[in-house]
Amino acid sequence: LSKRVGLTRSRSHAFALNTAGMIAAERGRLDEARRIFAEALALATMLGADVQKTAIRANMADLEFRFGNTDRALDLMSAIKAEGPGLYSFTSTIAVLVDSAAFNIALDDIAAACRDAREGLRLARGADPFLTAAAVQRLATVAARSGDPYRGARLRGYVDAWYQSGGSEREAMELHMDEILMAALRERLTDAEIETLAAEGAQLSEDQAVAEALAVAATVNCASTD
């Protein structure tokens, strides 16, 4: 179809390929998704479609992470970050940081996760509620992995309440990150303690949760790169 309507070398075709790759990934067809994303990335690069190129790479990173290739996922995110925020949207800037924090948590690089989540939260606050909640979740995990499970459990309670109040469901990555957080909490707290602290966290306002999450970054090995 794309050849018949003359879209084979257009941004519309790159967009269509990216969408097709997302569909293949959602259906678990890893090799097909990789092939389609690679074709989409090559076309977007040829066309100089930088915003599309970033979106495609981000989808490729998500795909690799879902299938356990976290090092490859982080490499893709690092490539996006290396090109600079001028080449992609403000929301994408935040998403890259929040996703990078997730990948670093999975690789047990807590300092890097802390830096990315802190910066992601700083940018997301007041701009994107979903990414704000995701950044808070990353810092909750940083807390739980860094000897402060009480604050981690409270922040987890806030994020859980945020999803419930909005009638939203966690996407695949957020489900996986919540599993990692809960595993870290259960190493140090009983289920009853987690439940009590989560109930406290559910009562936090967004301002209070953000302040508490940033306090995590202030007390953890989260050296600034500024």
Side-chain angles (χ1 to χ4, degrees):
L1 175 60
S2 60
K3 290 182 179 179
R4 288 200 298 271
V5 296
L7 296 177
T8 53
R9 296 172 64 84
S10 71
R11 297 189 182 205
S12 295
H13 187 224
F15 177 84
L17 285 169
N18 188 36
T19 301
M22 293 168 64
I23 293 171
E26 189 63 29
R27 295 180 178 176
R29 302 198 299 264
L30 174 60
D31 290 339
E32 180 184 349
R34 278 179 173 153
R35 177 183 58 75
I36 295 172
F37 280 140
E39 184 180 351
L41 181 60
L43 180 57
T45 300
M46 181 191 73
L47 296 170
D50 294 321
V51 173
Q52 282 185 312
K53 185 169 67 173
T54 297
I56 294 162
R57 275 185 173 151
N59 286 331
M60 293 169 75
D62 181 65
L63 173 71
E64 296 298 338
F65 182 66
R66 285 175 53 198
F67 284 92
N69 304 313
T70 308
D71 286 315
R72 174 59 178 154
L74 191 58
D75 286 343
L76 287 161
M77 281 301 176
S78 296
I80 294 172
K81 290 162 73 175
E83 291 185 338
L87 297 183
Y88 45 95
S89 70
F90 180 67
T91 300
S92 293
T93 300
I94 305 169
V96 165
L97 288 164
V98 172
D99 285 352
S100 292
F103 302 156
N104 279 306
I105 285 170
L107 293 170
D108 206 29
D109 189 343
I110 299 305
C114 181
R115 289 193 298 272
D116 285 338
R118 179 191 59 188
E119 182 64 10
L121 180 57
R122 186 184 71 80
L123 296 174
R125 179 74 176 93
D128 191 299
F130 169 77
L131 290 171
T132 297
V136 169
Q137 194 279 345
R138 307 296 186 262
L139 287 167
T141 309
V142 168
R145 289 275 190 91
S146 303
D148 193 356
Y150 300 100
R151 184 170 276 155
R154 279 168 55 83
L155 290 174
R156 196 254 175 197
Y158 167 78
V159 174
D160 198 43
W162 182 85
Y163 276 100
Q164 292 181 24
S165 65
S168 303
E169 294 184 1
R170 285 180 169 89
E171 297 175 354
M173 179 180 289
E174 298 312 312
L175 285 170
H176 183 54
M177 295 311 298
D178 188 55
E179 290 172 359
I180 292 174
L181 172 54
M182 285 300 295
L185 292 174
R186 284 175 174 147
E187 289 179 1
R188 296 173 178 263
L189 301 173
T190 66
D191 284 347
E193 288 174 321
I194 294 171
E195 185 176 340
T196 297
L197 291 162
E200 292 177 9
Q203 302 304 312
L204 295 173
S205 67
E206 184 178 278
D207 285 342
Q208 290 171 324
V210 168
E212 195 154 326
L214 291 175
V216 171
T219 57
V220 172
N221 180 18
C222 186
S224 174
T225 57
D226 297 338

